[in-house]
Amino acid sequence: MNSKIWYPYTQMKNMKEPYEIVDAKGVYLYTKDNKMIDSVSSWWCMIHGYKNPEITEAIKKQADKFSHVMLCNLSHAGALEFADKLASYLPGNLNHVFFSDSGSVSVEVALKMAMQYFVNKGQKREEVLSLTHSYHGDTFKTMEVGDDEDYHFAFSKKENVTHIDTNIEQLEEIFKAKGESFYCMIVEPLLQGAGGMRMYDVSFLQRARELCNEYGVLLIFDEVATGFGRTGNRFVADLVEPDIICLGKALTGGYIGHAATVASDKVYEAFLGDNYETALMHGPTFMGNALAMAAGLKSLEIFERENYLSKIKNIEKIAKRELKDYKNPNLKEVRVLGACIAFEAKNSQKLEGFQDFAYKHGVFARTFLNIQYAMPPYIITEEELVKVINLMKAWWE
Ligand SMILES: *Cc1c(COP(=O)(O)O)cnc(C)c1O
């Protein structure tokens, strides 16, 4: 191994050689001598699959004009149009779009907005309510509100953050005990991804919304992973409306790294004033990047035109059919929600070797913790999906 790349979440001393990708098209990744279905959509973002001609063309067309201009004192049609479109797609009062370059930063911005909302109102609130097993990113504030010792064990300090399970009784108790000390409650709605593909019921979010209203707490949905259809809803925010939503991963169809934090009118208005004191002081260099805006706009257009929600429903239907009554003594649970299929193993060591096994059978897969999963591009065919599911099962036989 003499590469100069420092890989993520990897012990570099004994890293397994990564597969070198030379081409990609549709759901397929190509190495020099293999072709494999990407069952994880390149960390859950590549919803249209690779080399979508329309998105590629939109990026090329924008690159011929300009690839980037700063979004402070300058603006451009792509950013204006994409912000408008997002605001009209998102439910209710989620109308004010702050672009940034990654999901972690979009969560940082959301937390900053929520914190400063109360500062601007002259109220003192210093605590955050979050969920056990939550993951919100790898930057410091997101690690603090997250609850993922498996990722961030080297930095376990959690100041002013309370974690509860997705349990309505615990939720009611914590609000009763200290609801007025929270400036926000932050959740990955319906599906906790990196914390172990944990799925929970919408009734928890409905009750959280009520209690946040009652105690004046801002509700943040981190939909970096769940946004754009993954749970079978375009956004979970379509079911329960948060005060702030974070979008990333699939925002550009996965073609260029970008993210957005979208705030409600109420949050936005608390930042209006006569001087900089109440303004939001944040400004990523690459916010509103023109290539990202072009990709994002085209991605949304295709999502709507090709009725992706029905494709996702179909993926869910096929997965449920293929996994009906499926049990294996090595598995604790099999879960399906939207276009997410997760097998929870009793013993994480039993997953070692699955990646090579999948590779040999023409599938790219990546397990984490004790989870074996598929989050395929929404364009996957029935035959390809069944192949992926059968391979996941075959590992245990
Ligand atoms: C991936 C993810 C993030 C972090 O996004 P990056 O673009 O990797 O910084 C934050 N929140 C959730 C829920 C995620 O799944």
Side-chain angles (χ1 to χ4, degrees):
M1 194 66 224
N2 47 22
S3 156
K4 296 293 178 278
I5 298 176
W6 193 336
Y7 285 91
Y9 303 129
T10 300
Q11 176 45 266
M12 295 302 294
K13 191 175 169 188
N14 58 10
M15 182 179 76
K16 181 167 90 71
E17 191 73 30
Y19 307 119
E20 191 176 332
I21 299 307
V22 295
D23 200 1
K25 185 165 192 280
V27 298
Y28 290 97
L29 293 167
Y30 296 83
T31 59
K32 221 163 64 257
D33 39 34
N34 197 9
K35 168 185 174 186
M36 49 184 172
I37 299 172
D38 180 0
S39 70
V40 300
S41 302
S42 270
W43 261 336
W44 326 341
C45 67
M46 201 50 76
I47 59 175
H48 308 281
Y50 298 92
K51 215 187 294 194
N52 177 292
E54 287 183 84
I55 301 179
T56 303
E57 185 55 33
I59 294 170
K60 281 184 181 164
K61 221 167 117 193
Q62 180 59 46
D64 277 338
K65 291 185 207 149
F66 53 88
S67 293
H68 181 67
V69 296
M70 65 190 279
L71 202 66
C72 193
N73 303 126
L74 301 177
S75 194
H76 60 96
L80 291 163
E81 201 184 322
F82 195 34
D84 274 358
K85 200 146 219 174
L86 282 173
S88 72
Y89 264 43
L90 287 163
N93 294 312
L94 293 165
N95 288 322
H96 307 278
V97 183
F98 190 96
F99 290 113
S100 58
D101 29 29
S102 78
S104 299
V105 175
S106 79
V107 177
E108 292 283 341
V109 169
L111 292 166
K112 204 185 213 184
M113 279 176 182
M115 203 185 273
Q116 195 180 341
Y117 172 88
F118 289 99
V119 172
N120 286 357
K121 286 182 165 292
Q123 291 180 34
K124 199 171 150 70
R125 294 201 182 210
E126 292 180 336
E127 300 197 36
V128 175
L129 181 58
S130 173
L131 300 179
T132 49
H133 306 293
S134 58
Y135 174 88
H136 294 292
D138 292 336
T139 53
F140 273 88
K141 193 73 188 168
T142 65
M143 288 196 297
E144 194 182 306
V145 300
D147 172 43
D148 234 311
E149 294 302 304
D150 296 298
Y151 296 87
H152 303 136
F153 42 78
F155 313 92
S156 57
K157 205 168 107 223
K158 305 274 179 202
E159 276 174 53
N160 303 331
V161 182
T162 304
H163 293 101
I164 57 163
D165 295 337
T166 52
N167 169 300
I168 293 185
E169 256 168 57
Q170 276 188 40
L171 177 73
E172 290 176 341
E173 266 165 37
I174 194 70
F175 266 94
K176 205 160 149 203
K178 48 193 239 174
E180 261 137 37
S181 58
F182 296 126
Y183 60 87
C184 71
M185 175 174 182
I186 180 164
V187 299
E188 292 157 273
L190 293 190
L191 172 64
Q192 295 184 285
M197 299 299 176
R198 291 158 187 270
M199 298 161 187
Y200 63 93
D201 194 74
V202 70
S203 58
F204 178 83
L205 297 173
Q206 286 159 341
R207 188 70 186 121
R209 179 68 275 179
E210 286 170 4
L211 288 164
C212 283
N213 289 348
E214 193 177 321
Y215 289 86
V217 176
L218 295 177
L219 181 59
I220 302 174
F221 278 7
D222 176 353
E223 294 218 44
V224 170
T226 56
F228 304 98
R230 191 53 71 181
T231 68
N233 307 284
R234 193 158 59 174
F235 306 102
V236 183
D238 290 326
L239 307 178
V240 174
E241 196 180 323
D243 299 291
I244 303 173
I245 185 172
C246 303
L247 302 170
K249 293 195 166 96
L251 178 72
T252 63
Y255 279 62
I256 297 178
H258 220 70
T261 311
V262 187
S264 69
D265 297 338
K266 176 177 101 174
V267 171
Y268 177 75
E269 278 156 19
F271 288 74
L272 304 178
D274 297 322
N275 55 41
Y276 279 105
E277 269 171 40
T278 59
L280 180 65
M281 302 307 272
H282 204 108
T285 303
F286 292 106
M287 68 188 297
N289 173 268
L291 301 180
M293 300 293 105
L297 272 166
K298 190 52 81 179
S299 170
L300 274 190
E301 185 191 316
I302 299 168
F303 192 97
E304 288 297 287
R305 190 189 68 214
E306 305 296 324
N307 197 355
Y308 271 36
L309 284 181
S310 74
K311 289 187 199 294
I312 295 158
K313 285 283 169 222
N314 201 37
I315 290 172
E316 183 174 39
K317 204 176 83 195
I318 295 165
K320 285 189 169 158
R321 183 192 74 206
E322 293 298 311
L323 293 166
K324 191 165 173 283
D325 302 324
Y326 178 68
K327 281 200 178 64
N328 185 287
N330 288 304
L331 297 177
K332 205 158 131 195
E333 195 177 46
V334 170
R335 298 188 279 268
V336 176
L337 178 68
C340 176
I341 300 160
F343 288 12
E344 183 176 344
K346 286 184 184 153
N347 179 347
S348 61
Q349 275 156 13
K350 288 248 164 89
L351 290 169
E352 273 169 32
F354 177 66
Q355 185 167 67
D356 287 334
F357 174 79
Y359 179 83
K360 282 190 197 103
H361 291 87
V363 172
F364 173 64
R366 183 176 184 277
T367 62
F368 66 97
L369 314 180
N370 60 338
I371 303 294
Q372 180 191 32
Y373 76 99
M375 286 228 213
Y378 302 151
I379 58 155
I380 195 166
T381 64
E382 175 159 355
E383 195 188 342
E384 290 159 345
L385 182 61
V386 170
K387 174 174 170 166
V388 169
I389 294 171
N390 283 342
L391 196 76
M392 288 169 73
K393 288 185 191 169
W395 176 247
W396 302 105
E397 275 147 25

